[in-house]
Amino acid sequence: MGKAKANAGPLARRPDNSAFKQQRLPAWSPMLTAQTVLPFFYGMAIVCVLLGAWLLVTVQNTHELKVDYTHAGSCDKCFEKRKDRANANQSCNCTVVFNIENMFKGDVFFYYGLINFHQNLRQYMDSRDDGQMIGRNKNLRNPSSYCEPFIKDKNGLPIAPCGAVANSMFNDSFTLVYHSAAGSRVVPLFRKGITWYTDKNVKFRNPQVENKTLTLAQVFEGTGQPLYWQKPVYDLDPWDRNNNGFINEDLIVWMREAAFPNFKKLYGVLNRAIEPFTDGLPAGNYSVLISYNFPVEYFQGRKEVVLSTVSWFGGQNNFLPVAYLVTGCLILLLAVILTAVWWKFGKNGRNMEE
Amino acid sequence: SYTVYCFHLEEERHVRANDRDYNEKFPYADNHIKTCKYNVFTFLPVNLFEQFQRAANAYFLVLLILQLIPEISSLSWVTTTVPLVMVLLITAVKDATDDYFRYKSDQQVNSRQSQVLRGNLQNEKWMNVRVGDIIKLENNHFVTADILLLSSSEPYGLCYIETAELDGETNLKVRQALTVTSDLGADITKLADFNGEVICEPPNNKLDKFTGTLYWRDNKYPLDNEKMLLRGCVLRNTEWCFGMVVFAGLQTKLMQNCGRTKFKRTSIDKLMNTLVLWIFGFLVCMGVILAIGNTIWEQKVGRSFSVYLLWDEPIRNNNVVFSGFLTFWSYIIILNTMVPISLYVSVEVIRLGHSYFINWDRKMYYIQKDTPAEARTTTLNEELGQVEFIFSDKTGTLTQNIMVFNKCSINGKSYGDVYDEFGHKVEITERTACVDFSFNPLSDRKFKFHDSSLLEAIKMEEPSVQDFFRLLALCHTVMPEEKNEGDLVYQAQSPDEGALVTAARNFGFVFRSRTPETVTLYEMGTAVNYQLLAILDFNNVRKRMSVIVRNPAGHIKLYCKGADTIIFDRLDPSNHVLMNTTSEHLYEFAGEGLRTLALAYKDLDENVLEEWMKRLLYASTVIENREEGLADLYEEIETGLMLLGATAVEDKLQEGVPETIACLTLANIKIWVLTGDKLETAMNIGYSCNMLRDDMNEVFIISGHSVLEVQQQLRSAKEHILGLGRVSGTVDVEKTDDFSEDSVFEETIIAEYALIINGHSLAHALEPELEQVLLETACLCKTVICCRVTPMQKAQVVELVKTNKMAVTLAIGDGANDVSMIKTAHIGVGISGQEGMQAVLASDYSFAQFRYLQRLLLVHGRWSYFRMCNFLFYFFYKNFAFTLVHFWFGFFCGFSAQIGLDTYYWTAVNHVFVWGSLAVYFAILFAMHSDGLFSIFPSHFPFIGTARNCLTQKSVWLVIMLTTVACVMPGLAVRFLKTDLYPTLTDKVRSLQQASRKLGPKEQNLRRVRRTSSRRSAYAFSHQQGYGELITSGKNMKVTPSTAAPSPSLSPSSPGRVHNSRSLIEGMSKRKGETPVACVSAEAYGTSGTSEGNTRTQQTVMDSNVVSNGAVQT
């Protein structure tokens, strides 16, 4: 328009003859005739049903095993112990035994699950400082006010990591043991590689300091550990020095808050390099040794261990296949109704006549 | 005492000429015009105040304040601030530019130059002109303010003005100064000493009325509208004139007629507001539910969870209700996307886009004037598709206001049609060859005629053809103006007459000049002087005019032209055969919608004439029944006429008007014509536009002069339509009970009626007790034409329909007289590309041709409405889907007002990319989730990696697909059932189109709109009486040395002239309510005023008789 105006001459103000300006762009607005709509409905119904069936078969081939250990087996005593806050510093170990009937083929994932734990409360979710987690020195010493009241420890030192989320970090630890005829052996788990790449490498960073020779403990000097923690943040993983500080993978997993009150979080992945786990978890008897620390009795919560294999579209989840099947059936029903209606009333096109 | 008095309400205006000190005692407006709203300092506060009066803006301001409270806020305050500021900013910029343009145009008008007398003549800007100033106006200049004419360059203080801007009439009007003041002439010292005081009515909007008195030198002179030049007029044919400013600036009649600009809203706006209110209510309900949920949850569950949330002990343990209260506000914030501010922004953006499409439309671009259509208001587009009533001006809107001499019948032969070599009639188009008038150096180049046989007949010197054009050149009241040699301009009183004289000019009978007693023609190049013995002037009863001339050879002839029926009655019996042929031609012409006129002549004997002249002289001196006496005398001599032929003049409609009207009528849009023009002209146009047809059951003409009469006429019309007995009881009963019943009945009326109502009847009909009857009757009729209406009445009619019918109205016009109706209607359309700009400036849409209305309404309006509705559908759907997730999630997150999805970017998407295309959505999504942004604002964008990691999950895509299918299928099924079982008209048309496309291209047969009308002789009606006298008196002749010698009043060269000039003065004074004696007492003034009223009443009574006769005939 502006260009057209610049031109002088008798037709200077004539609008451009472009398809857009004259609203002549190609448009598609299908007539909803029986010939097009009914086949589409039948087609969609078939697609949905087939997809649903396929998904169902896939889901049937995945395995999932949940073991609630809140006060199962020998954990009963630990549960009682954790009822009293005064015993918080005493360790408590227990064992839960279970049996796998069919072999878990392929990659097996080890989760811990919490029931009725509201990680999705607004005040709870807000209570963290992402600036601190990304390693900003300013935030390390001066955490955001959102962390209130988990911002300073009783010595007045700033807490790292601050806030309610980090403070309530799940601190049970597990050892999975396989009992076969050949004897008992610990199931090897990868405890790393359980986070998103972006979380591990971008979202969580240890504080940057000029002096590269400083140890992590020195970097975090002048900060306090969260009130409920037994170890400082730079000492979370005693076996791997590089898995400490804010980039500790268990911490990262915990810090990604679950959307629902019942959730499971990844703890480890089966290491299939070692016999007899190359094909997955063989059937047989297993036990989990649990370092039982996390109290759940205050909020009527429960804790569980989840073992699961995954298919191409995720873990064992019956919702999607069922939903597809139901949708497909509904569409089919609708299609039949439409056909009937069309057959009875609209077939000869007499409604179209003037 | 005056000052105190005038501070209240002006009841009487006192203005003293050349006395600023005196006039400044009163709070009179100066000539400064201000239509802009703001200035630099007031802009910000006033504009902000106005903007926050809008519910949406206020709502978001409250939200913003809520979000600043950390206990409540779950979203960062940025999410509301940015869009709110954007909305405010965009609106403010738009308001500011609009206002700036208003300011500029004010400035332009205000700084026009005028010459003001301050001791001597000084150039002054318009805005510095004050009431009481004496100013000088020059030819072709706009009149500065409402001024009292004092003197002019023309004799007798005459002065010509064009009032097209005021009332849409383009013919010249005469104003005459008081004799005492016209003697002042151009004498600056005398004018500067003029100290008359005008006492007159306070400012008002009546354009055709003015009452006042001039007190000067201890005498009183009555003043009326004939001495006033109103702002908006243009001075024509008058070298200069002096006048005294009476009303200035905003108090001028023109400005008083400009209705107030109102903010126009569309019905979708209103619907949207209601929807938003309902949604807001719904929102509050949800908030309450969630708050209650929160209270319960805190009581039952949250209490035990407090291990991990150490703070807010008092809230958690003791006061769960307070927690619920806070939650309520939190949820109001979170769920606010249900009433999204972006809705308003998006709607505005869509409308803006549509406006651009209107601006860009080539089909509404008028190539001749290089004028594209323009959407001046961007907020009304979808309303265009809902228009039910169109109010149209006539002159310049439906017609081009050009009269074209189109056809004629001379001596039984019809000219004007073009035939090809096989003798078939050829359609005349732009390309048809025109007759070459180059033999005639005085011809008018713009004149076009296609039938060369007429020119051949002229060249063969056929006496009847020559006489035909001689008559056209002689028998009229046109004034010639010849600035340069050969550059002739005709000033005609009506455009028809101009067209006829121009036709004669081109065919070699050039009307060159006239004096009071002679007319000079150039007949085929030779000058011929005719002595003008008498003009038997036109009036509404006679419907004809004649001249009596003596040619150089000494023969005396009477030339007469007029309505065919009238002329045919007065023909010599020997004309019988010719009359029949001519009559046939006339039917043919009238059938094509042309205005016809019959021409006849008569040879007069010297002695007969002399005797007749004596009787005429006697009759004109009689005081009683003079009019009747004269009419009888005229009647006597206009007998035994010899028929010459007939003319057919086309009042050129704008291109495609009848087709457009037919099309809009098909779309159930009612078109009312509101015109300032005469009843007859309006009706004629009605016929040629196909709005009135001969096959209509009845054409009702309301022309009563009192409330009772009008009521009676209206009710009888209504009774007639509804059948007897349906209208009964009093008016009040109808208003309530019958109205709804009638509107149902309305639909079932198949018969076609038309209602034509006159200006003064309309004034009565618009009174509160009658307006309902008027409206009901009018709505029962297919066609409604209001004529002789003032600008304010136009607005009132529009207002009446607007308020009572709940229908969307559209007003279209081209002149300043249409401004008020354009402003009143829901949608105002101005015809652009013409001289006056007022209508365009006041309008919402402007384009160059009436026919573009069809495209504007039926294409752009429809599309806009469709698109807007679709948009709103999806917008609300999207927002509900989006927001209700939070409601659902509330049940899982302990009603803590935690958001389940990150909504930050979504807000941005809403605001910037309305149509939410997926590409943009994902682009933003990824951007928001990008590493870079996160590292800058870690706490504001904590979603890093989410998109990347989620979208790689196949189950996510499966869910998306499932959702899509689940969402689309039900809608699709419903729509299929709808089209299949209850197809709309559109569906039917589309299926027809598809079927025909399958059959292959078919020949289109375009049906031409054929007008059938037996109405004729419209010319006679469109004419006004009075110019004949003016001409023969010589009053309007310029006093040049050559013509000054035989001064009109001093040289009685013929007996008829003496009588004429004398009778004129008396006649004029009678008509204008001014007695020759300058000093008049108030009583005398009063009586003359009433006599004026009486004559007018008589005339209009006759009018109505004539018209009703015509209606009966048809």
Side-chain angles (χ1 to χ4, degrees), chain B residues 926-941:
Chain B
F926 279 106
M928 291 289 177
H929 292 196
S930 71
D931 312 354
L933 207 56
F934 174 74
S935 51
I936 303 168
F937 308 105
S939 29
H940 283 103
F941 297 97

PDB file of all heavy atoms in Angstrom, chain B residues 926-941:
ATOM      1  N   PHE B 926       9.707 -23.496  22.014  1.00  0.00           N
ATOM      2  CA  PHE B 926      11.116 -23.858  22.078  1.00  0.00           C
ATOM      3  C   PHE B 926      11.975 -22.696  22.528  1.00  0.00           C
ATOM      4  O   PHE B 926      12.951 -22.874  23.238  1.00  0.00           O
ATOM      5  CB  PHE B 926      11.592 -24.382  20.720  1.00  0.00           C
ATOM      6  CG  PHE B 926      11.215 -25.817  20.508  1.00  0.00           C
ATOM      7  CD1 PHE B 926      10.203 -26.173  19.643  1.00  0.00           C
ATOM      8  CD2 PHE B 926      11.868 -26.827  21.209  1.00  0.00           C
ATOM      9  CE1 PHE B 926       9.845 -27.493  19.465  1.00  0.00           C
ATOM     10  CE2 PHE B 926      11.520 -28.150  21.035  1.00  0.00           C
ATOM     11  CZ  PHE B 926      10.502 -28.494  20.164  1.00  0.00           C
ATOM     12  N   ALA B 927      11.595 -21.513  22.102  1.00  0.00           N
ATOM     13  CA  ALA B 927      12.372 -20.351  22.514  1.00  0.00           C
ATOM     14  C   ALA B 927      12.311 -20.185  24.023  1.00  0.00           C
ATOM     15  O   ALA B 927      13.326 -19.987  24.686  1.00  0.00           O
ATOM     16  CB  ALA B 927      11.839 -19.109  21.813  1.00  0.00           C
ATOM     17  N   MET B 928      11.095 -20.319  24.551  1.00  0.00           N
ATOM     18  CA  MET B 928      10.925 -20.146  25.982  1.00  0.00           C
ATOM     19  C   MET B 928      11.654 -21.233  26.756  1.00  0.00           C
ATOM     20  O   MET B 928      12.050 -21.047  27.893  1.00  0.00           O
ATOM     21  CB  MET B 928       9.432 -20.199  26.332  1.00  0.00           C
ATOM     22  CG  MET B 928       8.665 -19.018  25.823  1.00  0.00           C
ATOM     23  SD  MET B 928       9.078 -17.554  26.750  1.00  0.00           S
ATOM     24  CE  MET B 928       8.114 -16.332  25.904  1.00  0.00           C
ATOM     25  N   HIS B 929      11.756 -22.376  26.111  1.00  0.00           N
ATOM     26  CA  HIS B 929      12.420 -23.481  26.784  1.00  0.00           C
ATOM     27  C   HIS B 929      13.903 -23.553  26.451  1.00  0.00           C
ATOM     28  O   HIS B 929      14.542 -24.552  26.701  1.00  0.00           O
ATOM     29  CB  HIS B 929      11.751 -24.803  26.394  1.00  0.00           C
ATOM     30  CG  HIS B 929      10.363 -24.921  26.931  1.00  0.00           C
ATOM     31  ND1 HIS B 929       9.697 -26.104  26.989  1.00  0.00           N
ATOM     32  CD2 HIS B 929       9.532 -23.999  27.446  1.00  0.00           C
ATOM     33  CE1 HIS B 929       8.496 -25.911  27.502  1.00  0.00           C
ATOM     34  NE2 HIS B 929       8.380 -24.631  27.791  1.00  0.00           N
ATOM     35  N   SER B 930      14.407 -22.503  25.839  1.00  0.00           N
ATOM     36  CA  SER B 930      15.773 -22.607  25.347  1.00  0.00           C
ATOM     37  C   SER B 930      16.776 -22.347  26.459  1.00  0.00           C
ATOM     38  O   SER B 930      16.457 -21.749  27.486  1.00  0.00           O
ATOM     39  CB  SER B 930      15.986 -21.593  24.229  1.00  0.00           C
ATOM     40  OG  SER B 930      16.015 -20.312  24.796  1.00  0.00           O
ATOM     41  N   ASP B 931      17.977 -22.812  26.213  1.00  0.00           N
ATOM     42  CA  ASP B 931      19.022 -22.661  27.217  1.00  0.00           C
ATOM     43  C   ASP B 931      19.338 -21.202  27.476  1.00  0.00           C
ATOM     44  O   ASP B 931      19.527 -20.780  28.607  1.00  0.00           O
ATOM     45  CB  ASP B 931      20.315 -23.368  26.757  1.00  0.00           C
ATOM     46  CG  ASP B 931      20.030 -24.764  26.250  1.00  0.00           C
ATOM     47  OD1 ASP B 931      18.867 -25.193  26.376  1.00  0.00           O
ATOM     48  OD2 ASP B 931      20.962 -25.397  25.729  1.00  0.00           O
ATOM     49  N   GLY B 932      19.376 -20.463  26.368  1.00  0.00           N
ATOM     50  CA  GLY B 932      19.812 -19.069  26.485  1.00  0.00           C
ATOM     51  C   GLY B 932      18.914 -18.271  27.402  1.00  0.00           C
ATOM     52  O   GLY B 932      19.358 -17.610  28.340  1.00  0.00           O
ATOM     53  N   LEU B 933      17.621 -18.381  27.138  1.00  0.00           N
ATOM     54  CA  LEU B 933      16.676 -17.600  27.911  1.00  0.00           C
ATOM     55  C   LEU B 933      16.710 -17.998  29.383  1.00  0.00           C
ATOM     56  O   LEU B 933      16.632 -17.163  30.271  1.00  0.00           O
ATOM     57  CB  LEU B 933      15.263 -17.823  27.338  1.00  0.00           C
ATOM     58  CG  LEU B 933      14.284 -16.689  27.543  1.00  0.00           C
ATOM     59  CD1 LEU B 933      14.837 -15.395  26.966  1.00  0.00           C
ATOM     60  CD2 LEU B 933      12.950 -17.018  26.888  1.00  0.00           C
ATOM     61  N   PHE B 934      16.881 -19.297  29.576  1.00  0.00           N
ATOM     62  CA  PHE B 934      16.916 -19.775  30.949  1.00  0.00           C
ATOM     63  C   PHE B 934      18.110 -19.226  31.695  1.00  0.00           C
ATOM     64  O   PHE B 934      18.004 -18.809  32.847  1.00  0.00           O
ATOM     65  CB  PHE B 934      16.946 -21.304  30.980  1.00  0.00           C
ATOM     66  CG  PHE B 934      17.131 -21.847  32.360  1.00  0.00           C
ATOM     67  CD1 PHE B 934      16.076 -21.799  33.263  1.00  0.00           C
ATOM     68  CD2 PHE B 934      18.347 -22.375  32.769  1.00  0.00           C
ATOM     69  CE1 PHE B 934      16.241 -22.280  34.541  1.00  0.00           C
ATOM     70  CE2 PHE B 934      18.500 -22.840  34.046  1.00  0.00           C
ATOM     71  CZ  PHE B 934      17.456 -22.798  34.942  1.00  0.00           C
ATOM     72  N   SER B 935      19.245 -19.196  31.004  1.00  0.00           N
ATOM     73  CA  SER B 935      20.432 -18.731  31.714  1.00  0.00           C
ATOM     74  C   SER B 935      20.350 -17.243  32.024  1.00  0.00           C
ATOM     75  O   SER B 935      21.027 -16.762  32.913  1.00  0.00           O
ATOM     76  CB  SER B 935      21.700 -19.054  30.915  1.00  0.00           C
ATOM     77  OG  SER B 935      21.544 -18.588  29.606  1.00  0.00           O
ATOM     78  N   ILE B 936      19.499 -16.536  31.312  1.00  0.00           N
ATOM     79  CA  ILE B 936      19.340 -15.117  31.634  1.00  0.00           C
ATOM     80  C   ILE B 936      18.369 -14.946  32.799  1.00  0.00           C
ATOM     81  O   ILE B 936      18.626 -14.250  33.760  1.00  0.00           O
ATOM     82  CB  ILE B 936      18.836 -14.335  30.408  1.00  0.00           C
ATOM     83  CG1 ILE B 936      19.809 -14.522  29.242  1.00  0.00           C
ATOM     84  CG2 ILE B 936      18.734 -12.838  30.735  1.00  0.00           C
ATOM     85  CD1 ILE B 936      19.279 -14.052  27.920  1.00  0.00           C
ATOM     86  N   PHE B 937      17.215 -15.609  32.676  1.00  0.00           N
ATOM     87  CA  PHE B 937      16.228 -15.488  33.748  1.00  0.00           C
ATOM     88  C   PHE B 937      15.905 -16.866  34.311  1.00  0.00           C
ATOM     89  O   PHE B 937      14.883 -17.445  33.990  1.00  0.00           O
ATOM     90  CB  PHE B 937      14.909 -14.897  33.232  1.00  0.00           C
ATOM     91  CG  PHE B 937      15.067 -13.637  32.473  1.00  0.00           C
ATOM     92  CD1 PHE B 937      14.938 -13.628  31.095  1.00  0.00           C
ATOM     93  CD2 PHE B 937      15.308 -12.433  33.136  1.00  0.00           C
ATOM     94  CE1 PHE B 937      15.050 -12.442  30.387  1.00  0.00           C
ATOM     95  CE2 PHE B 937      15.424 -11.266  32.429  1.00  0.00           C
ATOM     96  CZ  PHE B 937      15.300 -11.263  31.052  1.00  0.00           C
ATOM     97  N   PRO B 938      16.757 -17.404  35.140  1.00  0.00           N
ATOM     98  CA  PRO B 938      16.515 -18.769  35.603  1.00  0.00           C
ATOM     99  C   PRO B 938      15.204 -18.895  36.369  1.00  0.00           C
ATOM    100  O   PRO B 938      14.526 -19.903  36.276  1.00  0.00           O
ATOM    101  CB  PRO B 938      17.712 -19.074  36.499  1.00  0.00           C
ATOM    102  CG  PRO B 938      18.371 -17.784  36.749  1.00  0.00           C
ATOM    103  CD  PRO B 938      18.000 -16.845  35.668  1.00  0.00           C
ATOM    104  N   SER B 939      14.829 -17.869  37.114  1.00  0.00           N
ATOM    105  CA  SER B 939      13.624 -18.078  37.921  1.00  0.00           C
ATOM    106  C   SER B 939      12.353 -17.733  37.156  1.00  0.00           C
ATOM    107  O   SER B 939      11.269 -18.085  37.593  1.00  0.00           O
ATOM    108  CB  SER B 939      13.711 -17.263  39.210  1.00  0.00           C
ATOM    109  OG  SER B 939      14.483 -16.114  39.016  1.00  0.00           O
ATOM    110  N   HIS B 940      12.474 -17.029  36.004  1.00  0.00           N
ATOM    111  CA  HIS B 940      11.268 -16.704  35.265  1.00  0.00           C
ATOM    112  C   HIS B 940      10.944 -17.731  34.188  1.00  0.00           C
ATOM    113  O   HIS B 940       9.824 -17.824  33.727  1.00  0.00           O
ATOM    114  CB  HIS B 940      11.375 -15.318  34.629  1.00  0.00           C
ATOM    115  CG  HIS B 940      11.164 -14.223  35.630  1.00  0.00           C
ATOM    116  ND1 HIS B 940      12.198 -13.497  36.158  1.00  0.00           N
ATOM    117  CD2 HIS B 940      10.045 -13.773  36.220  1.00  0.00           C
ATOM    118  CE1 HIS B 940      11.723 -12.634  37.018  1.00  0.00           C
ATOM    119  NE2 HIS B 940      10.429 -12.782  37.084  1.00  0.00           N
ATOM    120  N   PHE B 941      11.959 -18.474  33.769  1.00  0.00           N
ATOM    121  CA  PHE B 941      11.700 -19.458  32.722  1.00  0.00           C
ATOM    122  C   PHE B 941      12.230 -20.822  33.153  1.00  0.00           C
ATOM    123  O   PHE B 941      13.226 -21.289  32.640  1.00  0.00           O
ATOM    124  CB  PHE B 941      12.339 -19.021  31.401  1.00  0.00           C
ATOM    125  CG  PHE B 941      11.757 -17.747  30.884  1.00  0.00           C
ATOM    126  CD1 PHE B 941      12.378 -16.538  31.122  1.00  0.00           C
ATOM    127  CD2 PHE B 941      10.568 -17.768  30.166  1.00  0.00           C
ATOM    128  CE1 PHE B 941      11.834 -15.363  30.653  1.00  0.00           C
ATOM    129  CE2 PHE B 941      10.021 -16.590  29.706  1.00  0.00           C
ATOM    130  CZ  PHE B 941      10.652 -15.384  29.940  1.00  0.00           C
TER     131      PHE B 941
END
